[in-house]
Amino acid sequence: MPELPPSLAEALRPVLPGLARDTVDAIGREVPDYARSLEGAFGRALRGGVEQALARFVDELALPSARPAEAAAVYAGLGRGELRAGRSLDALLSAYRLGARLAWERFQAAAVAAGHPPEVLYALAAAIFSYIDALSAESVAGYAAEQSHLAGERSQRRRALAAVLGTDVLVPTDLERLAAAAGWPVPAGVAALVVTGEPDAERLASRLGTDAIAAADPDEAATVVWIPDPGAPGRRAQLAAALRGAPAALGPATPPVGSARSLRRARAALAALQAGHVPPAALVVADDHLVALLLHGPGAEEAADLADSLLAPLDALPAGQRDRSLETLAAWLDHPGQVQRVGAALGVHPQTVRYRLVRLRELLGEHLEDPDGRWALGLAIRVRGRDRAGTP
């Protein structure tokens, strides 16, 4: 603070009570964010801060000294309070500037009335605005410290939530509690993304979007990232770009309770990729390789999903028509292109076989004409059980 005569402090002290009261009233009128905030704990803290700021300023005029640590703590606390209230620092810094203006007006009048010369007034003005700058800096530091603290807590809670999502013990009430603590909006669907070669889980999650959460995979040398709404338009391209070439596999979308299934499949797809059973890609989508996972992974879930996916057009038919269609499909896959043998196996006229094949081609499309598609359909028939297809 610039040097000022200690006698100036005595001229300013009578101004303090009215100035503090008027400053708080002016803040309530002129700072919109505080129009309804001056009651309760925040109002008491602001009034106390204004009174302390003015009193300390005058005290330092009388006896210049280093500002005590507790003084800085008051204004750092106001900064922290702004973050907790969900506000930026704009309102608080506006209040400081308003207080500085009112203080200058009242202090100038009191100094002139006490007979202080112009050079003292100039120094007083500089001292007031320097002092307000210092208070502002303390509040900015408090705001930043609270941001860092909350970010650390939030990161820790999100890592814990990410770890729990990969287990089979999660229940809805636990999910809601953990998600609320982590500030994570619970999505309708979530998918596990398993990534190798990315040591910083949080940095990876930040590249994948604000609602992605990540943790080190406890069972693998990898990172697990949970992706909300994985089927959103453009999501796969976004994920591939964010991975920056790191090998990764994406599991299927599942409800958050039950998401361990997505993680198991993503792990299996990544293992298949590493073993060369799945062709390299910017992002391996597990459900695009169900046959490979069936042959080279745990298999049971993938086999059931493959059958459900391929045979869905037949499952939608009435029961009798569905069973006849499955019978015909199974026989045709056993004797491709041999209408007579298919008819004999089914006990129907070859023309009936031809009619049914026309309908199957309408329902199954390219799968019935493509060798790989026919192989997958044969596998789906066997997953379902050949007794359901009506053949031995």
Side-chain angles (χ1 to χ4, degrees), residues 192-197 204 208 223 239-240 243-251 266 269-271 273-274 278-286:
L193 178 71
V194 182
V195 187
T196 60
L204 175 60
L208 294 171
T223 297
L239 297 180
L243 289 169
R244 300 176 181 174
L250 181 69
L270 186 61
L273 171 67
Q274 293 168 331
V278 170
L283 173 65
V284 172
V285 179

Side-chain angles (χ1 to χ4, degrees), residues 28 77 184 232 339 351 361:
W184 190 62
V339 174
Q351 188 60 32
R361 288 188 175 95

Side-chain angles (χ1 to χ4, degrees), residues 154-163 165 182-187 189-193 195 200-215 223-230 235 238-239 242-243 250:
R154 181 175 177 269
S155 294
Q156 184 176 8
R157 289 169 179 170
R158 288 198 164 200
R159 285 195 300 272
L161 175 59
L165 281 171
W184 190 62
V186 179
V190 65
L193 178 71
V195 187
D200 192 328
E202 291 182 17
R203 182 177 298 175
L204 175 60
S206 69
R207 294 204 303 266
L208 294 171
T210 56
D211 289 333
I213 57 175
T223 297
V224 177
V225 187
W226 295 100
I227 308 296
D229 194 16
R235 180 77 80 205
Q238 174 198 16
L239 297 180
L243 289 169
L250 181 69

